[in-house]
Amino acid sequence: MYRLSMSGEDVKAEVDKSEFATICQLYTNRSLCYFTLGNYEKAAEDADAVIEGIDPNNAKARFRKGMALEKLGLRDKAITELKLAVKIEPENELFNKELAALTKKKR
């Protein structure tokens, strides 16, 4: 049983593993769309729906949330999320690059 937030409503759904992956992908993709449109709060919310409601080890969701938090001026929280993304996928060049850039900006 997984708890998701869709359009402000809590929805409980029983899903199998293939649906689980699809739901994560849908939320992380929509998070990217919101980010691209400049709606950073919604981008962070969708990424968080994956992290909190489905899979706390989803590196892409952690990355998307971190990037949105940075745009919202929450650099320390953004760095925390990017560190978690890198911990999950240490060889991901994009994750490492963005983490290094944010860490450098913090100094």
Side-chain angles (χ1 to χ4, degrees):
M1 183 81 66
Y2 301 100
R3 186 171 164 252
L4 304 173
S5 178
M6 296 182 190
S7 303
E9 296 179 26
D10 287 335
V11 177
K12 292 186 178 181
E14 290 187 32
V15 296
D16 64 29
K17 287 186 180 189
S18 67
E19 289 172 323
F20 172 85
T22 300
I23 290 169
C24 287
Q25 186 175 18
L26 290 171
Y27 271 86
T28 56
N29 287 349
R30 190 169 75 171
S31 177
L32 176 60
C33 291
Y34 281 134
F35 184 88
T36 302
L37 293 170
N39 192 339
Y40 307 119
E41 288 180 16
K42 286 285 197 182
E45 285 176 16
D46 273 4
D48 207 43
V50 173
I51 295 163
E52 297 297 325
I54 304 171
D55 181 7
N57 293 314
N58 186 298
K60 189 181 285 187
R62 294 276 180 194
F63 176 75
R64 299 258 192 266
K65 182 177 178 182
M67 297 305 294
L69 291 172
E70 193 274 331
K71 290 291 189 180
L72 291 168
L74 302 169
R75 186 161 292 135
D76 289 339
K77 290 182 180 183
I79 289 170
T80 298
E81 289 299 330
L82 292 180
K83 284 180 178 178
L84 289 167
V86 168
K87 184 177 180 181
I88 297 164
E89 287 187 22
E91 295 179 16
N92 188 306
E93 290 179 26
L94 178 61
F95 296 177
N96 282 291
K97 177 184 159 193
E98 293 297 337
L99 176 59
L102 278 184
T103 304
K104 187 176 180 180
K105 279 184 187 178
K106 186 177 177 184
R107 293 180 201 168

